[in-house]
Amino acid sequence: MVCFPFIKLNYGKQLSFSKEPGYYDTPFYLSILGGKGGTIHYTLDGSEPTVDDPVFDRKKPLYIEDATKNPNVYSMRADTSTAFWARLLNQYSQLPPAYTVPEYNVDKCNIIRASLFDSTGNCLDSIWGTYFVGFQNRIAYQNIYTVSVVTAPENLFDDEIGIYVTGDAFHHFWRENHDKELSDWPYWSANYFNKGIEWEREAHITIFDDCHNTVLSQECGIRIKGVSSRIAIPKSLRFYARENYNGINEFNADIFKTGMFHHKIVLSGGGNDRKFNLKDYLANELEQNLGFATMDFIPCAMFLDGEYWGMYYITEDYNADYIHDHYQVDHNNIIMIKNNELSEGTEEDYQRYEEMLSFILEHDMSDSANYSYACDLMDINSYIDYYAAQIYISRYSVDWPSSNIALWRTRENDGSIYGDTKWRWMLFDINSGGLQTSYLYNNSLKDVLTIDAMFASLYQNEEFRRKFAERLLYIGKEVFAPEKCNLFIDQYVQTMSEPLAASNMRFYMDDKSEEFEQYVADMRTFFEQRYDVVWDFIVQDMGEEWLAKNGIQKDEIH
């Protein structure tokens, strides 16, 4: 691997560090430069410096060494999920994950925040820095990215304003409901369920690549991301570039090496696949050349306010910026629906979505004229590819297709390839089911026909069924060919075994290595046997005679 250094340009800053933030093999002394005529105050715990914090003495640089020997602080908190409330949980039927706080010193980095103040206490400038010392032999951080997230600790952990904890929301819930019959613990109120910009906090994100070069260092906003996964640890996080944080509305780095600069990025904790974090990654990587949107994924180790916080993915976020960047259509011409709710556009735009649903549900799609009009409303190839791929991997029928569906279109036809006002589909959240032998024999086509009324209506059309059967078998033969899947899994195991072991030890005091071996072996078996199972259920549904009449054979690719 060839690594190129990242050069940081520092415009308009009065303060700087004598050494660039990053990875260092041995301890060193660090000075804070600039700011003559003012006083520099600094902190080492992520909090914003004030005039009450230590003054930096220019004659006494800070000694920066491996911080791992320092006591655990944030990783010792047991208020980051209601799953920790063991004394309450034995009353309820759903078993929580066996989270525990680490019984060893987790790996740590040095986080330094410094601010320059004038004689009246006005803050003139601030800088942030993350320093890793002595990590060169720690294999859990080799060949993957590292992300350091720094924010004032109260932004995460304070009962009143902390976004990462159960907090006051849980305390209030318990006061109101402790003498009643409660729902299962994942549904108990907590701060981390709060949403919206009022629950966004200022932070600084630094991303280092797999050669430990700096990719991004920028102030931003941070929020908790997800729906039910908010109960879990590690939690997924969403980051926002805004002018009030850094003067610009996008992150100033091409993080995914696609020529695109994002307004939002996500650190995904894996959702329901958080122990081994493979399903979303594999599905998005292998399905990326099909007719629907997918996300880029970069595995990383994450440090939160200086303490190791597990294995994550840096991913994209579906929004108008994503559509603009990937499909070259105007931001203001985009409508996006996610889980049957408007995500981008105006309230009037939602009617366009309802009109498509109503037409397909209320008209006979076996009629060629009706089906042709439906194809005018949607990119039928995008729809078929999306459903065929998810049915092939046996998506779990509880949260798909009843939810976890996103689609987009342009409001007006702009004459471009993708600006034709047709709805197109988007892949996300492939972490809750499927891709395991427990779902191997699941007739997911039958499930979708039962659950999804629009798919069932379109399925009445013979041309649709023919295209669907062809694409389903193509996806099995080409996209999820066992040899291709095994190669992807081999590379994942080689790169991620140690990072995953470190992450699981952090949250479970168990590296889960044997369980990981069983997990990947099980997934290999799924792909080795799934094609025959899929063929059997389309024969059962469509009939051998109909398939033969339409030239659809088990071993031919269309």
Side-chain angles (χ1 to χ4, degrees):
M1 180 182 299
V2 178
C3 297
F4 298 96
F6 174 87
I7 300 174
K8 181 181 178 183
L9 299 179
N10 212 347
Y11 295 105
K13 288 287 188 182
Q14 297 187 43
L15 298 181
S16 63
F17 293 118
S18 59
K19 285 184 176 289
E20 286 292 313
Y23 278 79
Y24 293 86
D25 291 347
T26 57
F28 59 90
Y29 286 97
L30 180 73
S31 291
I32 303 171
L33 308 176
K36 290 184 178 180
T39 304
I40 301 171
H41 295 262
Y42 69 94
T43 63
L44 303 176
D45 64 352
S47 58
E48 182 178 358
T50 70
V51 293
D52 296 322
D53 287 308
V55 174
F56 175 70
D57 185 342
R58 299 174 192 272
K59 297 179 181 180
K60 295 180 180 179
L62 302 174
Y63 186 63
I64 306 299
E65 59 182 335
D66 184 2
T68 300
K69 64 183 179 62
N70 297 334
N72 298 340
V73 179
Y74 311 119
S75 55
M76 301 304 291
R77 299 190 69 102
D79 58 352
T80 54
S81 171
T82 50
F84 279 111
W85 291 85
R87 63 186 177 85
L88 306 178
L89 296 178
N90 59 9
Q91 304 173 46
Y92 306 101
S93 58
Q94 186 172 344
L95 294 176
Y99 296 138
T100 185
V101 296
E103 298 173 5
Y104 61 96
N105 276 20
V106 300
D107 287 331
K108 301 178 184 71
C109 58
N110 298 275
I111 51 174
I112 298 125
R113 296 183 65 174
S115 294
L116 175 67
F117 294 89
D118 64 17
S119 59
T120 61
N122 293 316
C123 183
L124 305 177
D125 191 20
S126 295
I127 54 174
W128 315 55
T130 295
Y131 296 87
F132 295 86
V133 179
F135 277 63
Q136 60 270 27
N137 296 319
R138 299 180 196 181
I139 55 179
Y141 309 102
Q142 307 301 316
N143 303 315
I144 65 169
Y145 278 49
T146 311
V147 177
S148 171
V149 177
V150 180
T151 185
E154 61 268 21
N155 287 339
L156 300 173
F157 305 117
D158 180 76
D159 276 348
E160 181 179 356
I161 67 168
I163 65 174
Y164 208 98
V165 292
T166 54
D168 284 349
F170 174 75
H171 299 319
H172 176 76
F173 167 83
W174 183 247
R175 285 194 300 270
E176 295 292 323
N177 296 281
H178 72 278
D179 56 349
K180 302 175 184 176
E181 183 176 349
L182 297 181
S183 58
D184 283 335
W185 66 273
Y187 306 101
W188 297 348
S189 297
N191 282 16
Y192 45 69
F193 282 119
N194 291 319
K195 300 179 181 180
I197 196 165
E198 60 272 16
W199 285 90
E200 179 177 316
R201 304 290 180 256
E202 183 176 7
H204 186 281
I205 185 171
T206 307
I207 299 176
F208 301 96
D209 67 15
D210 47 4
C211 295
H212 296 164
N213 296 315
T214 304
V215 174
L216 172 72
S217 179
Q218 188 167 328
E219 289 88 356
C220 59
I222 181 176
R223 300 185 198 177
I224 303 297
K225 178 189 179 295
V227 185
S228 60
S229 64
R230 290 168 179 255
I231 65 171
I233 49 172
K235 303 184 193 302
S236 296
L237 304 170
R238 182 181 279 121
F239 298 85
Y240 297 80
R242 301 191 192 279
E243 287 189 11
N244 57 301
Y245 296 129
N246 199 54
I248 54 176
N249 279 322
E250 62 185 16
F251 289 100
N252 56 13
D254 180 7
I255 298 168
F256 302 100
K257 299 179 181 178
T258 56
M260 303 173 190
F261 295 79
H262 296 76
H263 167 59
K264 300 177 188 177
I265 55 175
V266 169
L267 285 184
S268 171
N272 292 306
D273 191 32
R274 66 187 65 88
K275 289 181 185 176
F276 306 124
N277 232 335
L278 176 56
K279 292 180 182 179
D280 269 316
Y281 188 25
L282 180 146
N284 278 272
E285 286 289 315
L286 296 187
E287 295 177 20
Q288 64 180 314
N289 293 320
L290 296 175
F292 49 85
T294 58
M295 296 181 186
D296 284 322
F297 279 67
I298 301 175
C300 68
M302 202 269 270
F303 286 73
L304 189 61
D305 272 347
E307 297 191 9
Y308 175 65
W309 216 262
M311 185 262 171
Y312 276 79
Y313 286 107
I314 310 166
T315 76
E316 299 173 278
D317 192 57
Y318 285 147
N319 51 43
D321 291 326
Y322 175 97
I323 300 302
H324 167 77
D325 291 341
H326 286 266
Y327 298 99
Q328 291 77 55
V329 297
D330 186 80
H331 289 83
N332 297 319
N333 196 24
I334 293 168
I335 306 168
M336 185 186 297
I337 305 294
K338 190 173 182 181
N339 289 336
N340 292 314
E341 295 182 357
L342 185 71
S343 180
E344 297 283 353
T346 65
E347 290 301 324
E348 292 82 7
D349 292 330
Y350 193 80
Q351 296 177 7
R352 303 170 193 258
Y353 172 62
E354 291 181 321
E355 288 167 1
M356 176 189 67
L357 285 176
S358 297
F359 179 82
I360 293 173
L361 295 179
E362 295 170 6
H363 291 78
D364 180 6
M365 288 296 109
S366 66
D367 180 272
S368 59
N370 289 337
Y371 180 70
S372 178
Y373 185 70
C375 292
D376 289 338
L377 298 176
M378 67 164 68
D379 182 334
I380 197 68
N381 294 325
S382 174
Y383 184 84
I384 288 173
D385 270 10
Y386 175 77
Y387 272 79
Q390 307 331 302
I391 286 170
Y392 189 87
I393 64 175
S394 196
R395 283 295 301 278
Y396 187 39
S397 60
V398 168
D399 75 344
W400 188 89
S402 57
S403 62
N404 286 346
I405 285 185
L407 61 160
W408 73 277
R409 55 163 279 186
T410 54
R411 184 179 299 105
E412 305 294 337
N413 192 326
D414 65 9
S416 67
I417 296 174
Y418 297 105
D420 56 7
T421 74
K422 292 187 177 184
W423 292 102
R424 291 176 168 85
W425 271 256
M426 314 176 79
L427 181 71
F428 74 101
D429 276 7
I430 317 297
N431 55 63
S432 59
L435 294 168
Q436 295 170 301
T437 56
S438 55
Y439 302 97
L440 174 60
Y441 295 102
N442 182 40
N443 189 336
S444 42
L445 172 59
K446 182 179 179 180
D447 288 342
V448 173
L449 286 169
T450 302
I451 295 168
D452 193 311
M454 187 167 82
F455 183 86
S457 180
L458 290 166
Y459 196 75
Q460 300 307 307
N461 184 272
E462 190 162 322
E463 180 184 349
F464 179 90
R465 287 200 307 278
R466 178 182 59 78
K467 283 185 176 181
F468 172 79
E470 289 175 349
R471 293 303 285 174
L472 185 64
L473 296 176
Y474 168 84
I475 285 167
K477 278 287 187 182
E478 290 293 311
V479 176
F480 291 116
E483 59 274 15
K484 183 182 292 186
C485 295
N486 281 331
L487 178 60
F488 186 92
I489 292 170
D490 287 344
Q491 293 170 340
Y492 187 80
V493 169
Q494 181 178 357
T495 304
M496 297 308 302
S497 291
E498 293 297 335
L500 286 170
S503 186
N504 284 320
M505 183 62 71
R506 159 68 178 82
F507 295 107
Y508 302 98
M509 282 302 297
D510 181 345
D511 65 12
K512 308 288 184 183
S513 296
E514 291 185 9
E515 190 177 336
F516 181 53
E517 290 179 7
Q518 296 169 0
Y519 173 92
V520 296
D522 183 86
M523 188 176 288
R524 293 182 199 274
T525 301
F526 176 89
F527 285 119
E528 288 163 2
Q529 299 182 16
R530 181 63 175 169
Y531 188 85
D532 289 339
V533 173
V534 168
W535 172 256
D536 287 344
F537 72 59
I538 65 171
V539 169
Q540 176 184 338
D541 183 85
M542 301 177 185
E544 291 184 356
E545 183 178 344
W546 185 88
L547 291 166
K549 183 181 73 172
N550 284 276
I552 300 170
Q553 300 180 24
K554 182 178 182 181
D555 297 321
E556 290 189 6
I557 299 173
H558 296 266

